[in-house]
Amino acid sequence: MLKTITYYVLLIALNLGTASGLMIAGHASGMLQEILTFTPDRAAVLVGFFAVFNALGRILFGFVSDRLGRYNVMMILFGVVCAAMIVMSSTGGVGFLVALFIVSACYGGFTAMFSPVCADNFGLKNLSVNYAFLYIAYGLAGFIGPQLAAFIRTTSGGYALAFTVVAGMSAFGFVLVLALKAMRRRSAS
């Protein structure tokens, strides 16, 4: 697995996919307080809903990926996260909240992709070890997403640029999944 380009492209794609959700998870309360002027208590309640949408996204997108295919679902997730981040960078109020919850559901969707994408690409033999190596993407995203938001927030005074950067990361992730689909088609023929 580690000798294949597929592993590294998947690692980057899954990292990009989960970075957005982990950025939101790490900064949701602060974002809600700063952007929507919520009290800390009100923000905390809504952060709890983040977990609900995350769980629902895991179930929904896991189910959908069994029907449409992993890569197709990943492309949908990247497209939706890209659009939601653009909305978050340019609006407040209900639009911001809806986009935040959509990103939360998509984050759940990306985390639901790790194990089946690993099995689809590298088989069931050694799945536990292969999964652990692929899950490195999640650990890296846990650093990149929140740190990116913190750095941009500190240097620019707000989160809008962080949302825009993550929209760009999502667009790049979409392209990576297209490449993965092409690589898979080539190897199948």
Side-chain angles (χ1 to χ4, degrees):
M1 177 178 92
L2 297 177
K3 294 179 181 179
T4 68
I5 185 96
T6 300
Y7 166 74
Y8 297 97
V9 175
L10 275 171
L11 186 77
I12 294 167
L14 289 168
N15 173 275
L16 294 171
T18 53
S20 61
L22 289 166
M23 177 182 82
I24 298 298
H27 291 268
S29 180
M31 289 174 182
L32 292 168
Q33 290 175 56
E34 180 179 316
I35 297 167
L36 301 181
T37 64
F38 283 7
T39 64
D41 291 342
R42 188 171 181 200
V45 169
L46 287 171
V47 168
F49 282 105
F50 175 88
V52 172
F53 278 87
N54 174 354
L56 292 173
R58 290 171 193 245
I59 296 165
L60 172 69
F61 290 110
F63 176 81
V64 172
S65 79
D66 287 340
R67 274 118 191 106
L68 298 181
R70 315 298 178 220
Y71 290 155
N72 291 332
V73 167
M74 288 173 67
M75 288 170 41
I76 291 167
L77 291 169
F78 276 124
V80 170
V81 168
C82 183
M85 288 291 167
I86 291 168
V87 168
M88 291 172 69
S89 71
S90 60
T91 191
V94 174
F96 182 88
L97 279 176
V98 169
L100 180 94
F101 291 137
I102 287 172
V103 170
S104 301
C106 289
Y107 164 64
F110 275 113
T111 59
M113 294 298 105
F114 277 86
S115 181
V117 161
C118 187
D120 289 352
N121 283 280
F122 306 110
L124 295 176
K125 184 179 180 191
N126 302 315
L127 179 61
S128 297
V129 172
N130 290 344
Y131 175 78
F133 276 103
L134 191 56
Y135 209 68
I136 290 169
Y138 184 82
L140 293 171
F143 176 78
I144 292 169
Q147 291 301 316
L148 174 71
F151 175 76
I152 291 174
R153 166 68 181 82
T154 300
T155 57
S156 73
Y159 290 104
L161 181 59
F163 301 143
T164 303
V165 169
V166 172
M169 290 167 54
S170 296
F172 181 60
F174 186 94
V175 171
L176 287 177
V177 176
L178 283 175
L180 285 164
K181 285 181 75 163
M183 290 165 40
R184 190 164 180 116
R185 274 192 303 269
R186 238 188 339 261
S187 70
S189 51

